[in-house]
Amino acid sequence: MSARDTDWDGVRLHVVTGKGGTGKTTVAAALALALAAGGRRVLLVEVEGRQGIAQLFDVPPLPYEERRVAVAPDGGDVHALAVDTEEALIEYLEMFYNLKRAGKAMTKLGIVDFVTTIAPGLRDVILTGKTSESVRRRNKDGSFIYDAVVMDAPPTGRITKFLNVNEEVSGLAKVGPVRNHADTVMKVVRSPETAVHFVTLLEEMPVQETMDGIHDLREAGLPVGGVFVNMEHKPVLPPDALAAAAAGELDTDEIVRGVKAAGLENGAERIAAVLVAEAAEHARRTTLQAREKERLESLDIPRYTLPLLPHGMDLAGLYTLAEAIRTQGAA
């Protein structure tokens, strides 16, 4: 698959959101690796201050500067940036008001926290503004510094408000640098170069939040990308055994005989009871996944499935997920 043979040809800002616990940061990191494959240069931006990206790539905590954290398959680089709100606000003051020295003084006085608390919309303008600036930044020859930017964004419940900065700053500024900056951010966010992707598990609450989040984005006129179904549990029993387990109709005597045949004579009945309970739970989860899959299929947007990694998440696991993303045409 070529680097341009993707569902998101032309998209340069990939915003990744999801309910807490769905693996949002992990999928954002894997997507960045997938997008960088084949010699491209990608920036992965974290805006929540958790240093989750550094942990995933097994590097020291990221400072407020862009640093390379990984080499992608077939060449290409992933750079990362952990946006610090205070540093970004000082940068913002210097850029638009020539107040860098004043900004540092404000930090010492605690005014930065005060300002972003009474005007939370300003915090979002700063965070989204830093990301959109990375999307627009060019080399001297006119080419873009980054082929793509991936934002590990706030959770689903806050994503529409976070991205819709024009609405958020309407009560703060009608004209001037804040207003102009918000307008510039929105030109990027609302453009065909942006896609907002959702990460979910095949469970009722994450799927419902995903569907609600997609509805809210569309209502606000913001660009919906795709859905990444993370940590799917593949069925390990054939359909007839799954049906029997779900109905509580497994032949326990036959399982006991199988356990004994495997050389586990002592406690065979207890082992068989545990296996029956495990099979029933597996059948329940498989039925739940199938139901939630049907709900997601009602959404008219691309969907990608990422496997449950049996040995947990590490750097090798990120590359496995990146390859799954590439083979499904998402990058």
Side-chain angles (χ1 to χ4, degrees):
M1 178 179 295
S2 73
R4 305 302 295 167
D5 184 19
T6 79
D7 285 342
W8 309 114
D9 191 15
V11 172
R12 300 192 56 255
L13 174 56
H14 297 262
V15 179
V16 180
T17 184
K19 178 178 167 57
T22 59
K24 170 176 66 70
T25 300
T26 299
V27 173
L31 178 59
L33 275 172
L35 289 166
R40 304 179 80 203
R41 181 181 171 97
V42 174
L43 177 65
L44 176 59
V45 180
E46 181 178 63
V47 298
E48 294 185 281
R50 295 184 293 105
Q51 289 291 340
I53 291 173
Q55 294 174 34
L56 280 171
F57 286 102
D58 195 23
V59 298
L62 296 170
Y64 182 51
E65 62 183 46
E66 294 162 16
R67 287 193 174 182
R68 191 175 75 167
V69 293
V71 176
D74 303 323
D77 294 324
V78 175
H79 294 248
L81 171 68
V83 180
D84 178 272
T85 306
E86 278 196 0
E87 292 287 347
L89 179 55
I90 292 172
E91 186 177 76
Y92 179 84
L93 291 171
E94 179 184 21
M95 185 181 304
F96 292 103
Y97 296 98
N98 196 27
L99 291 174
K100 183 172 184 178
R101 189 173 298 175
K104 290 183 176 179
M106 288 170 66
T107 299
K108 291 179 181 179
L109 294 170
I111 296 176
V112 170
D113 287 336
F114 176 72
V115 169
T116 54
T117 298
I118 64 170
L122 179 59
R123 180 188 294 269
D124 290 349
V125 170
I126 291 168
L127 295 174
T128 54
K130 184 63 180 176
T131 304
S132 63
E133 182 274 328
S134 301
V135 174
R136 301 191 313 273
R137 200 186 317 153
R138 295 177 182 267
N139 294 300
K140 290 182 179 179
D141 63 3
S143 62
F144 287 111
I145 297 249
Y146 292 106
D147 295 291
V149 176
V150 178
M151 179 198 287
D152 177 21
T156 308
R158 206 169 84 77
I159 190 63
T160 301
K161 187 175 181 180
F162 175 76
L163 292 175
N164 201 15
V165 292
N166 256 352
E167 190 71 25
E168 287 301 293
V169 302
S170 61
L172 295 176
K174 304 297 183 184
V175 296
V178 173
R179 175 84 258 172
N180 294 338
H181 187 52
D183 289 342
T184 301
V185 170
M186 290 310 299
K187 284 180 182 177
V188 174
V189 171
R190 290 189 186 278
S191 77
E193 290 188 316
T194 296
V196 183
H197 308 298
F198 290 78
V199 180
T200 187
L201 306 179
L202 288 176
E203 298 173 3
E204 184 175 1
M205 287 186 65
V207 167
Q208 187 59 54
E209 281 206 16
T210 296
M211 298 179 78
D212 292 343
I214 290 170
H215 174 269
D216 292 344
L217 276 186
R218 285 175 169 165
E219 286 284 300
L222 296 170
V224 176
V227 173
F228 289 83
V229 177
N230 196 22
M231 295 185 279
E232 182 180 24
H233 295 248
K234 294 292 186 182
V236 296
L237 295 175
D240 56 343
L242 276 175
E249 296 175 353
L250 286 175
D251 189 337
T252 305
D253 292 338
E254 183 180 353
I255 295 174
V256 169
R257 289 193 293 272
V259 171
K260 289 181 177 180
L264 300 173
E265 293 282 343
N266 294 329
E269 288 77 9
R270 179 179 56 81
I271 294 171
V274 171
L275 290 174
V276 168
E278 287 287 337
E281 173 59 24
H282 177 63
R284 184 198 68 79
R285 176 178 285 277
T286 301
T287 301
L288 171 64
Q289 286 193 155
R291 185 188 74 198
E292 298 306 322
K293 264 188 178 180
E294 286 187 9
R295 295 177 70 199
L296 289 174
E297 285 170 1
S298 69
L299 301 171
D300 186 25
I301 59 175
R303 189 175 73 253
Y304 314 97
T305 300
L306 302 179
L308 174 69
L309 300 178
H311 303 297
M313 178 50 58
D314 55 15
L315 191 55
L318 274 183
Y319 282 86
T320 299
L321 295 183
E323 182 59 25
I325 289 171
R326 291 180 69 198
T327 56
Q328 294 177 74

